[in-house]
Amino acid sequence: MTTAASTAASTAGSAAAPSTAPTAAPAAAPTGAPSRSAATRPSAGPRRALDWRLRFGFLSLIWGFSFLLIKVGTESYAPFQVTLGRLAFGTAVLAVAIAVKRERLPRGARTWAHLTVAALLLNAVPFSLFAYAELTIPSTLAGICNATSPLWGMALSLVALSEDRPTRVRVAGLGLGFLGVLTVLGAWQGFSGLDARGTTLALLASLSYPIGWIYLRRTLAGSGGSPLSMTGAQLFLATLQLGVVTPLFTTFPNRFPVLPLLAVAALGAVGTGLALLIQYGLVVEVGPTTAQMVTYFIPVIATAAGVALLGESLTWSTPVGAVIVLAGAALTQVRKRA
């Protein structure tokens, strides 16, 4: 889930362009995904033992199940605590990867200042908002709301990125995508039975990702830092931010139920740390445009997991609206060939 810092960090670190996100956000900002550079073509980098398609599918599963893990975690822990645990476990995984590869952390006060803002927009805020949203809405709805990030991204890029010109197809995709959102929410029924607060928080979380991507693109693109170290530093800063906020708004748990604790650990170590490493490898091997396609599989898996494992209800408007959202999001990524 956009996700999503590895893509944003990779754009910042290499000027090429996580979650999306998840993040830490998706592998390539849904807005203005760049053409592949020599470093991101499939022929670049060492040959992988596991085919990229299998890793792509595994990444889709990881991020799709993340919404289920959030739901399980918030059953026993406060949303800020779930987010803090997620960030801490994710940072630990990336720290090990950075140490193994012997990469240097970013240098310069300016870079760290921009990464602090990116950590807030791409990790601390959206992760916390999704956790709070799932207190009152199903994980299936949260996963579908996450898929609106490309729609928000295009809408914002038209204002913030002068080089990202709209086309009729992309504008049509934007309109179609938001029609899908209205379908998911059951607008013709007056949004009856919908928890407005939780849904709004989930949509705001999805909006936070493209804001962070655009910020990174405008501030750190071409800075020359390693995408992996930039992502690790960003996740570390987000952990510090939640480390300050969490004690102020929550009380220390007096017990630690095993299943929710394992869910938080898996959400951080696998759903954030390992997922970003996989995404980083995909961006290098097949390019950001292909890697970001994982965004379109996440709501499908999140819906299937929520219904099958959590027993969440599903009306016809949810899957139909999700398909419309994904179709619209795909159209917003269509660009004229040079």
Side-chain angles (χ1 to χ4, degrees):
M1 55 187 291
T2 288
T3 246
S6 87
T7 300
S10 66
T11 65
S14 63
S19 148
T20 252
T23 206
T31 62
S35 58
R36 296 180 187 174
S37 65
T40 59
R41 289 172 186 156
S43 58
R47 186 178 182 84
R48 306 278 180 171
L50 192 62
D51 186 82
W52 73 266
R53 296 171 187 82
L54 295 177
R55 284 180 280 125
F56 182 96
F58 185 49
L59 182 60
S60 302
L61 286 173
I62 289 175
W63 273 337
F65 271 87
S66 292
F67 295 95
L68 180 148
L69 295 175
I70 293 173
K71 192 72 170 180
V72 174
T74 53
E75 290 178 354
S76 299
Y77 302 104
F80 275 143
Q81 293 169 346
V82 171
T83 304
L84 176 59
R86 173 183 188 175
L87 290 169
F89 281 108
T91 300
V93 171
L94 290 185
V96 171
I98 292 172
V100 169
K101 292 179 176 292
R102 297 182 178 180
E103 295 197 5
R104 294 181 178 180
L105 290 175
R107 296 182 178 182
R110 174 183 173 277
T111 298
W112 281 92
H114 288 313
L115 285 175
T116 299
V117 177
L120 183 69
L121 295 174
L122 291 168
N123 305 116
V125 168
F127 289 2
S128 298
L129 288 177
F130 272 124
Y132 271 101
E134 291 199 41
L135 290 177
T136 55
I137 67 172
S139 64
T140 54
L141 179 56
I144 294 172
C145 287
N146 180 74
T148 63
S149 281
L151 304 177
W152 297 119
M154 183 204 155
L156 290 173
S157 70
L158 299 180
V159 177
L161 300 174
S162 58
E163 73 276 14
D164 202 11
R165 300 297 181 185
T167 64
R168 291 181 179 179
V169 172
R170 298 182 68 199
V171 172
L174 184 63
L176 183 64
F178 283 110
L179 176 62
V181 172
L182 294 177
T183 303
V184 171
L185 303 182
W188 66 91
Q189 298 175 337
F191 306 105
S192 61
L194 179 73
D195 184 85
R197 176 178 175 273
T199 305
T200 300
L201 291 178
L203 291 173
L204 287 176
S206 303
L207 173 62
S208 183
Y209 288 130
I211 293 175
W213 293 326
I214 292 173
Y215 177 83
L216 277 180
R217 182 170 172 178
R218 295 175 69 94
T219 59
L220 287 179
S223 63
S226 159
L228 179 59
S229 64
M230 297 279 277
T231 303
Q234 180 181 309
L235 213 59
F236 170 72
L237 290 169
T239 305
L240 291 182
Q241 291 167 358
L242 263 293
V244 172
V245 171
T246 302
L248 299 177
F249 294 93
T250 65
T251 57
F252 193 78
N254 52 19
R255 63 188 189 90
F256 295 87
V258 176
L259 184 59
L261 184 60
L262 290 176
V264 173
L267 179 65
V270 180
T272 303
L274 178 61
L276 290 177
L277 291 177
I278 295 174
Q279 184 189 44
Y280 167 75
L282 287 173
V283 170
V284 171
E285 185 171 352
V286 300
T289 301
T290 300
Q292 79 170 15
M293 294 300 291
V294 71
T295 304
Y296 305 117
F297 293 88
I298 292 174
V300 177
I301 296 170
T303 299
V307 172
L309 300 179
L310 296 180
E312 295 177 344
S313 60
L314 189 67
T315 60
W316 69 268
S317 61
T318 301
V320 170
V323 170
I324 298 174
V325 168
L326 295 178
L331 288 177
T332 64
Q333 305 308 299
V334 174
R335 286 166 175 78
K336 292 181 178 179
R337 292 184 178 275

